[in-house]
């Protein structure tokens, strides 16, 4: 699975002008299931993100994890993270998982975070969404598991 995570002070996602998911301080997680991914990969990605020490401690050093700071998460599906731009000018997305599997792994990934005590807001799989965020830092990290 592939994810782009951003440490945020707040984030929200809207569909047709209506907010469908949001979080306060924590992470905006854009996530994409790739061909060959399974529930085990979704679980490993959730565990990795939960434990990443990318939040500031009392001394201002990035020593705390999402779990340590009791942060929330906004999880948004984004198959365009599978873009292949190696040839031509039009990205190809054939590396992304098929839509049914992508949806199932997106939901499983979000549920894994929830099961570990994270308050999770969600986008709507496959919808046209507008994502708003206040990136904290900025801190943006690409993960490929």
């Amino acid at each position: 699975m592939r994810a782009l995570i951003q440490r945020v002070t707040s984030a929200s996602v809207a569909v047709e002008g209506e907010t469908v998911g949001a979080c306060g301080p924590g992470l905006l997680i854009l996530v994409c299931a790739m061909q060959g991914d399974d529930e085990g990969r979704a679980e490993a990605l959730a565990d990795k993100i939960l434990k990443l020490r990318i939040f500031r401690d009392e001394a201002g050093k990035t020593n705390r994890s999402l779990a340590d700071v009791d942060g929330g998460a906004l999880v948004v599906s984004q198959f365009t993270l599978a873009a292949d731009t190696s040839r031509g000018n039009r990205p190809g997305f054939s590396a992304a998982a098929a839509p049914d599997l992508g949806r199932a792994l997106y939901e499983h990934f979000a549920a894994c975070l929830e099961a570990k005590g994270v308050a999770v807001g969600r986008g709507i799989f496959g919808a046209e969404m507008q994502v708003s965020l206040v990136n904290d830092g900025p801190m943006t990290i690409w993960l490929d598991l």
Side-chain angles (χ1 to χ4, degrees):
M1 292 198 59
R2 187 170 282 175
L4 183 72
I5 63 172
Q6 296 181 297
R7 189 178 67 196
V8 297
T9 57
S10 64
S12 63
V13 60
V15 175
E16 296 180 5
E18 183 176 330
T19 299
V20 296
C23 76
L27 295 174
L28 168 62
I29 305 169
L30 305 174
V31 65
C32 177
M34 307 292 287
Q35 285 188 17
D37 285 343
D38 57 18
E39 286 188 352
R41 279 233 173 103
E43 293 161 12
L45 182 62
D47 284 342
K48 179 72 170 180
I49 290 172
L50 188 66
K51 294 175 185 173
L52 274 178
R53 294 176 12 188
I54 59 173
F55 291 89
R56 292 179 197 93
D57 63 15
E58 298 77 23
K61 299 197 182 276
T62 52
N63 274 330
R64 301 187 78 199
S65 70
L66 185 63
D68 293 336
V69 300
D70 197 28
L74 176 59
V75 179
V76 177
S77 64
Q78 189 166 1
F79 85 96
T80 60
L81 292 177
D84 176 1
T85 59
S86 63
R87 296 185 320 185
N89 295 316
R90 181 176 295 186
F93 302 102
S94 60
D100 288 346
L101 178 60
R103 177 187 309 268
L105 292 177
Y106 162 72
E107 293 294 342
H108 186 67
F109 169 79
C112 287
L113 289 175
E114 287 174 327
K116 305 250 184 208
V118 177
V120 176
R122 299 179 192 200
I124 297 175
F125 186 91
E128 287 287 325
M129 295 176 275
Q130 294 74 49
V131 179
S132 299
L133 70 137
V134 178
N135 193 319
D136 181 25
M139 172 70 78
T140 303
I141 297 175
W142 176 273
L143 292 169
D144 224 347
L145 291 187

